[in-house]
Amino acid sequence: MIARQPDENPAGIHLPLDPLPGHTSRGRLERVLRRGEFAVTTELNPPDSADPEDVYNRAKIFDGWVDAINAVDASGANCHMSSVGICALLTRMGYAPIMQIACRDRNRIAIQGDVLGGAAMGVANMLCLTGDGVQAGDQPGAKPVFDLDCMSLLETCRIMRDNGKFLSGRKLTTPPLLFLGAAINPFAPPIDFRPYRLGKKIAAGAQFVQSQYCFDVPMFRTYMQQVRDLGFTEKCFILCGVGPLASAKTAKWIRTNVPGIHIPDSIVKRLEGAQDQKKEGKQLCIDIINEVKEIPGVSGVHVMAYRQEEYVAEIVDESGVLKGRQPWKREIRRDDQLVAERLDHILHDEITETQVDMVKTAH
Amino acid sequence: MSETTPAITQATLVKKAAPKSDYKPADVSPQRRVQRSFAVRLWSVRHSRLLEWFYARFSDMFLLLHPLWKGIGYGRVEGPIKFVEKRVKGFMFDCRMCGQCILSSTGMSCPMNCPKQLRNGPCGGVRANGNCEVEPDMPCVWVKAWEGSRNMVHGDKILDVQKPVDQSLRETSAWLRVTAQAAAAREAARNAPNTGAPA
């Protein structure tokens, strides 16, 4: 008998968890956060392929290191496998995905349908985003939709969950059980407004937020001070976005080309002065995690290691944020073995039963 | 689709449940709201042959003026040209300034007036009387386009498959774009024999 993991349905590992009192979803991320544990989430680099194996392989390197995986929705307005598709594959394998929904590509009809579809597949966490403009991506000729924005999208999901209704007021037979997330960027102007904007998002339905890459810890500390003073940390779990920089050159490129990411000069200098810049980038990320985890009100980190996903495990391990805790990990169980044997029988053994034979034997 | 008994759709129910106020705008699609009530665009479709002839002369003239545009700078003339183009084409065709005009391939009936903005032909919902599915009292843009194209010399251009609209070109001058492209093509054709390009 295999030891049971903390967040697991006693009736089977593949089954959704029973909702706990005060919880709005059946997901493991909500449980971890509400237990007061330091959560770790990461981002899956979406493949440009139709092969499910690509998704499984990319998710596998996070096994046992993260509490949830973000399935991005055409980030940067570049075409990739859809977040719904990635979530379908990840939930099938027993992972806890965070389905990102961007307002750029779909109107309220499509989005509400995807929310229901995602929840039906077992997606417990949804992250509501406005999305980058189409001008940022590989297809600037596309029609930008922006029918909803992140705030109205949060509200739409909350109405579907809490009131059991579509935005139009039409009833749902089974409302989706969701843990709703949003994004924050404390590093972009208007700085004074940023904490209040978080307040708006909480009012609209955000239960957890993931921040933009944090490279300026003092700035984040000030933001957190303001957020705490407003009392938002009691209403919402804040995950700080972190990530390794590959080199000083990358840092400079990001600073000039990616809007909304603030990298102070001291960071670039530190990378430039290093022997092995990639290693230094990783160490820098670990140092930032160690600093932000001490800030009161920070409930976790969101590790975005774009194209350096193999470092996520090392970063999480070396920063020691899990404090020896093992996030949920899918393991083979006895019924899995049964399913595998049965499938093997169906696929490989000679079964010459045809429709006609079945009809004949029935008489 | 019977027109005597309008079916109660979900949209009707939603509209009925909407809060009442004294201001009741006409129950039409936003596409229709910016359309003129006097139908110069229908006159344009009826006279598509004349307009085709006129446009051929007009575009030649524009191409002749290419050195002028280039001299002043396309970027600099865009403002005034767009001002004129928007008003002239707006009056004639209810133009929506998609920036990639295909009027000569659509019988001089602007496809951006279609509530679904179809650019490759009519949808399956056209009513028996030739009116639009979404706007029951508006003649289908593509029924008109087909009629218009039948009068035109190069009317079979309606059979060409159109690319998806490049939304980043909205609110730019199609006249200048076509002229610049024609000039570039002319230039390329002039250089082609010299470089010995295969036929």
Side-chain angles (χ1 to χ4, degrees), chain A residues 28-39:
Chain A
R28 299 194 290 269
L29 178 65
E30 187 179 10
R31 290 183 170 218
V32 166
L33 284 169
R34 286 199 196 274
R35 273 205 298 265
E37 277 163 337
F38 198 83

Side-chain angles (χ1 to χ4, degrees), chain A residues 15-49:
Chain A
L15 293 171
L17 297 156
D18 287 328
L20 285 177
H23 287 220
T24 57
S25 78
R26 293 156 176 268
R28 299 194 290 269
L29 178 65
E30 187 179 10
R31 290 183 170 218
V32 166
L33 284 169
R34 286 199 196 274
R35 273 205 298 265
E37 277 163 337
F38 198 83
V40 178
T41 60
T42 191
E43 213 162 78
L44 187 125
N45 178 18
D48 297 337
S49 93

Side-chain angles (χ1 to χ4, degrees), chain A residues 127-267:
Chain A
L127 189 81
C128 302
L129 304 164
T130 302
D132 304 280
V134 291
Q135 294 79 8
D138 63 344
Q139 292 178 40
K143 191 183 211 166
V145 179
F146 297 111
D147 187 19
L148 305 175
D149 64 6
C150 57
M151 217 67 78
S152 49
L153 173 58
L154 274 167
E155 204 157 47
T156 306
C157 295
R158 195 192 43 158
I159 289 170
M160 288 174 78
R161 182 190 66 198
D162 295 346
N163 305 5
K165 281 175 179 173
F166 283 118
L167 207 51
S168 68
R170 205 151 55 81
K171 278 204 182 71
L172 302 170
T173 46
T174 308
L177 294 174
L178 299 173
F179 189 47
L180 292 176
I184 50 168
N185 188 357
F187 312 105
I191 300 294
D192 298 340
F193 181 52
R194 292 289 159 184
Y196 296 101
R197 189 168 152 80
L198 172 61
K200 273 186 86 167
K201 289 198 177 181
I202 293 170
Q207 296 168 293
F208 73 96
V209 289
Q210 294 176 330
S211 88
Q212 178 61 277
Y213 278 108
C214 168
F215 292 111
D216 193 339
V217 181
M219 201 173 179
F220 186 65
R221 200 171 277 133
T222 323
Y223 174 82
M224 285 304 297
Q225 180 64 49
Q226 288 169 307
V227 167
R228 277 200 307 276
D229 292 345
L230 291 163
F232 294 153
T233 45
E234 280 118 64
K235 299 176 191 160
C236 178
F237 299 103
I238 297 171
L239 278 69
C240 180
V242 292
L245 288 164
S247 66
K249 210 175 134 202
T250 324
K252 279 187 197 147
W253 188 89
I254 290 174
R255 199 153 65 159
T256 46
N257 292 295
V258 186
I261 299 182
H262 165 68
I263 303 176
D265 291 328
S266 57
I267 298 285

